[in-house]
Amino acid sequence: MNDPSSSTSRRRTTLVVIGVLTLLVSGCASTKKKEFSPPDTTAGSGHNSADDRGTPAPSGAQDVAASGNAFEEATIGSNDLDPNATASDASALAGLQTVYFDYDSSELSATTTATLDANAAWLKTHGGTRVLVEGHCDERGSIEYNLALGARRASTVRDYLARLGVPLNQVEIVSKGEEEPVDRSGTDEAWAKNRRAEFKPVGR
Amino acid sequence: MIAYRLLLGSISLLLSAAWGLAQTTSTDIGGKITADASSSIALAVPPVLVGPGASATAAAEIAAVLRDDLDFSGAFTLLDPQGEGRIAAAQLNEPKAWGAVGARAVALLGLSLKNDRAILAVKLHETKGGEILLDRQLFGRAAEDIRRLAHVAANAILEQLTGQSGVFLTRIAFVGEVGKGKEVFLMDYDGARVRRLTTTGTINLVPAWARDGRRIAFVSFVSKRPTFHLLDENGKIQSVKLAGGDLNVSPDFSPDGTKLAFTSDRDGNSEIYVYDLTSGSETRLTREGGIDTSPCWSPSGEEIAFTSDRSGSPQIYIMRADGSNLRRLTFQGNYNESAAWSPDGGRIAFMSRIDGIFQLLVYDLATGQIRQVTSGRGHKENPRWASNSRHLVFSSNMEGAYSIYTIRDDGKGLRRLTKGMAAYTPDWSPIQP
């Protein structure tokens, strides 16, 4: 049975191929096998082809075919949202200066408040112009945390403007997190430029 | 159906007979070969036998994928498939020959093809007595399922030899840069078969799997403000009607799939809320002036870990799922965030700034001990667990552009999964596809 001589093994290997051919053609064996589900051929709905769900039997037959949905198969296409409804790419409003923040901070420095004072004055004389304050971060820290930090920077700016008498309904806010850096070079200077609040016209 | 069964029986029978190891095709499962956590099992995977209709290329691909899977697990020392230079080619299917060169088990596989159906016969032998530990016949589509056949075989072998559930059929969702936008992508756990799920033309972030593997929540700028949406397995994006806020981000499914924890600024600053997917109701959990974000359910659904900077710097906190019993988890370092609760419930992975670089750490909830998983250059961000609670996926710029990597929780087995596209915020699917 376990004769290690290579001639025996070679003979066995030959038998494999002959055996495969014979049995594939004849399909004559009748061994007991576990039941398995047939592959689901219903387009786009297949959850019931038996793959590796549940506890796999250590012995038996199994169809591994993928279920055919978008998570399993290739690229899928459309969705029901408007792809043109993206956030504004408009350039900053002339007359309103961008302000900057320290690392992991949304506090307003003396320089920042001076700039915001000027911005507030401009907004009060342009009451018909609604603005979007975008809060931005440098790329350090997680994308998730920076979404929250960008929101806090934007709302800090809005709250300050409101205290100076700018009507709340004139100012909207959005966090851009770390998604729209102005400088990707990864230096201290670049990071300082990226930690900012920009003023954009409210789109459409 | 009957034809399939006959066919499979035939394959099984012939392989058993040909390998001269089993008398019948009946199940003959021996005890598991056990290995303690510190030692690996010496395993041989000789070249996959090329049966009728099968191509040598497909057989070689199966062998490569299978070996790659088993290597990934960290549970095995894989022997040279050609027999360590000490087994004659004709004896590569002999368990005893493998035993003589140190293998404790050998996986013998044969691939054949019939009517565009690939059939993979898998026999796992213990090498001392040649006892059959596993005897499976797997079949799938000839072209599309080759890798899948190998993954299913690898899962079965790993489970049989170690009792561990393999993650070889799991997938990783992430976002990749496309033009000026970021779209949601999926790939197999090993980085193969990258496929795109969204075509919004804008920025999408932080995909998060539901435990049933059939939905992904993600954040999109498609409606101007960063807001989470749902993506179902047919590729449909669903909007979620929320009560307000300019920021509704960081979605995380409850383990039972009925709720989403998320972050919103609707009440003035970032707080944690829970959205009930059945009723549409929303519940506020945190009330604090600082940033509260990145909620993450415990696998029991009873608690939520999250990031807060209420102490002055970002730290990890835990509260009960109703917001009560809040406690701070991390005290070392001044920037800890992005908590991920291990599926076995015992540990929380997070990122921590150490010497100016973000590294991955794991907090053991039973002992309170913290272990550093990564070191060296480049930020490591957004850790998420595999369902086996042994591997982590994360994004890093350690080699330049941000890419997706996996690593074992002991810091070994680092693998880069993505190339050619900046990639961020991965999340590992549950074990069920």
Side-chain angles (χ1 to χ4, degrees):
Chain A
M1 200 62 184
N2 290 301
D3 183 344
S5 90
S6 60
S7 66
T8 306
S9 294
R10 201 172 298 122
R11 226 176 298 132
R12 281 183 190 146
T13 309
T14 312
L15 275 173
V16 171
V17 177
I18 294 168
V20 168
L21 285 169
T22 309
L23 291 168
L24 277 181
V25 171
S26 65
C28 63
S30 58
T31 50
K32 272 182 281 177
K33 283 294 157 200
K34 283 182 185 299
E35 277 297 329
F36 59 90
S37 307
D40 179 32
T41 52
T42 318
S45 71
H47 305 313
N48 48 0
S49 96
D51 43 31
D52 211 27
R53 289 169 195 147
T55 309
S59 175
Q62 181 188 1
D63 183 359
V64 307
S67 54
N69 63 45
F71 283 5
E72 188 48 49
E73 300 297 344
T75 302
I76 57 96
S78 63
N79 57 66
D80 53 8
L81 294 177
D82 176 7
N84 297 315
T86 56
S88 167
D89 280 334
S91 46
L93 279 168
L96 293 175
Q97 298 293 307
T98 297
V99 294
Y100 298 91
F101 298 88
D102 287 340
Y103 178 51
D104 191 28
S105 168
S106 48
E107 284 176 23
L108 306 176
S109 67
T111 317
T112 300
T113 52
T115 306
L116 290 179
D117 290 348
N119 286 354
W122 188 94
L123 284 166
K124 284 192 274 187
T125 57
H126 295 75
T129 305
R130 294 173 66 215
V131 295
L132 178 66
V133 179
E134 295 181 350
H136 297 265
C137 305
D138 71 37
E139 72 268 30
R140 292 172 295 171
S142 75
I143 282 173
E144 281 195 333
Y145 188 79
N146 283 334
L147 282 171
L149 181 58
R152 187 164 69 184
R153 283 177 177 160
S155 66
T156 303
V157 166
R158 179 184 56 189
D159 293 350
Y160 184 79
L161 295 174
R163 283 203 297 279
L164 295 181
V166 177
L168 266 179
N169 64 7
Q170 198 181 350
V171 183
E172 296 185 12
I173 61 169
V174 66
S175 173
K176 293 300 188 89
E178 61 178 84
E179 302 307 318
E180 293 181 12
V182 292
D183 188 335
R184 294 175 181 266
S185 58
T187 61
D188 284 344
E189 283 173 0
W191 289 328
K193 283 188 239 171
N194 294 337
R195 296 188 299 263
R196 68 200 193 276
E198 286 189 29
F199 294 79
K200 301 278 181 69
V202 171
R204 287 169 284 190
Chain B
M1 180 73 199
I2 287 169
Y4 274 135
R5 215 178 294 152
L6 288 173
L7 178 64
L8 291 163
S10 305
I11 295 280
S12 170
L13 183 64
L14 81 89
L15 287 170
S16 304
W19 284 325
L21 297 162
Q23 310 82 339
T24 70
T25 56
S26 63
T27 310
D28 182 12
I29 302 153
K32 284 172 182 168
I33 295 174
T34 54
D36 59 59
S38 59
S39 75
S40 61
I41 298 169
L43 175 69
V45 186
V48 173
L49 183 73
V50 184
S55 75
T57 313
E61 185 176 9
I62 284 183
V65 172
L66 181 82
R67 293 178 62 86
D68 190 59
D69 285 351
L70 296 172
D71 176 62
F72 172 87
S73 73
F76 302 104
T77 301
L78 290 171
L79 276 61
D80 166 29
Q82 299 301 332
E84 304 284 305
R86 296 197 277 135
I87 301 180
Q91 284 187 282
L92 287 175
N93 292 326
E94 292 287 351
K96 283 205 168 167
W98 282 105
V101 297
R104 294 177 63 190
V106 55
L108 302 177
L109 294 95
L111 179 68
S112 56
L113 187 66
K114 173 89 171 173
N115 297 337
D116 285 331
R117 302 291 286 177
I119 301 135
L120 182 66
V122 184
K123 282 209 173 192
L124 181 66
H125 297 263
E126 173 272 327
T127 54
K128 274 187 186 147
E131 186 183 11
I132 298 172
L133 305 175
L134 184 74
D135 180 3
R136 297 276 291 274
Q137 303 80 41
L138 312 171
F139 59 97
R141 295 165 297 174
E144 299 92 333
D145 290 329
I146 289 297
R147 296 186 70 88
R148 197 171 170 84
L149 283 165
H151 290 317
V152 174
N155 276 337
I157 290 167
L158 177 70
E159 177 155 9
Q160 183 63 31
L161 290 177
T162 69
Q164 298 173 28
S165 292
V167 298
F168 310 131
L169 284 176
T170 58
R171 290 149 293 163
I172 291 165
F174 63 100
V175 298
E177 264 180 22
V178 179
K180 282 187 165 181
K182 288 177 179 166
E183 303 286 359
V184 181
F185 285 80
L186 276 190
M187 60 187 165
D188 290 355
Y189 95 95
D190 56 5
R193 302 198 315 134
V194 174
R195 48 226 189 256
R196 180 170 163 178
L197 287 181
T198 61
T199 51
T200 61
T202 184
I203 288 171
N204 304 284
L205 298 167
V206 294
W209 288 95
R211 303 293 201 279
D212 64 5
R214 295 186 172 171
R215 286 165 297 167
I216 291 173
F218 68 105
V219 168
S220 180
F221 280 81
V222 75
S223 44
K224 291 190 178 181
R225 301 294 195 278
T227 302
F228 69 87
H229 299 269
L230 299 177
L231 186 60
D232 70 23
E233 62 185 333
N234 296 316
K236 272 281 194 191
I237 297 177
Q238 298 165 7
S239 297
V240 179
K241 274 211 179 1
L242 294 167
D246 296 304
L247 180 84
N248 289 292
V249 298
S250 292
D252 189 53
F253 276 100
S254 62
D256 65 6
T258 64
K259 297 190 266 302
L260 282 158
F262 67 102
T263 301
S264 178
D265 71 345
R266 67 186 59 172
D267 291 310
N269 70 308
S270 297
E271 305 282 3
I272 311 289
Y273 298 75
V274 169
Y275 176 82
D276 187 311
L277 284 156
T278 314
S279 68
S281 69
E282 297 172 59
T283 310
R284 180 174 174 181
L285 296 188
T286 59
R287 294 170 190 281
E288 168 56 47
I291 286 175
D292 294 323
T293 189
S294 304
C296 164
W297 295 84
S298 72
S300 70
E302 291 172 1
E303 291 181 295
I304 292 173
F306 64 101
T307 304
S308 177
D309 79 339
R310 62 186 66 191
S311 72
S313 68
Q315 298 290 347
I316 309 294
Y317 291 74
I318 293 178
M319 61 185 165
R320 293 197 51 83
D322 62 2
S324 68
N325 200 20
L326 180 104
R327 70 186 201 267
R328 179 172 167 181
L329 193 71
T330 55
F331 290 90
Q332 99 304 341
N334 59 6
Y335 205 123
N336 299 305
E337 55 143 330
S338 202
W341 213 308
S342 64
D344 64 11
R347 289 168 297 162
I348 289 177
F350 60 100
M351 54 189 267
S352 179
R353 195 179 62 200
I354 298 170
D355 299 330
I357 305 285
F358 283 96
Q359 305 288 359
L360 304 188
L361 276 63
V362 171
Y363 186 105
D364 187 308
L365 290 164
T367 65
Q369 290 197 318
I370 294 176
R371 188 166 64 188
Q372 188 170 340
V373 177
T374 63
S375 57
R377 63 192 290 264
H379 298 301
K380 292 88 179 175
E381 301 177 11
N382 198 84
R384 298 291 183 267
W385 291 95
S387 54
N388 63 9
S389 297
R390 288 166 188 260
H391 290 83
L392 290 160
V393 65
F394 61 99
S395 57
S396 174
N397 62 350
M398 68 175 89
E399 293 173 277
Y402 272 88
S403 304
I404 309 299
Y405 295 80
T406 55
I407 196 167
R408 291 205 297 272
D409 60 357
D410 60 3
K412 294 175 183 161
L414 178 71
R415 289 185 174 197
R416 181 176 179 178
L417 302 189
T418 59
K419 276 183 182 161
M421 169 173 66
Y424 310 84
T425 64
D427 192 31
W428 211 313
S429 83
I431 206 157
Q432 298 207 325

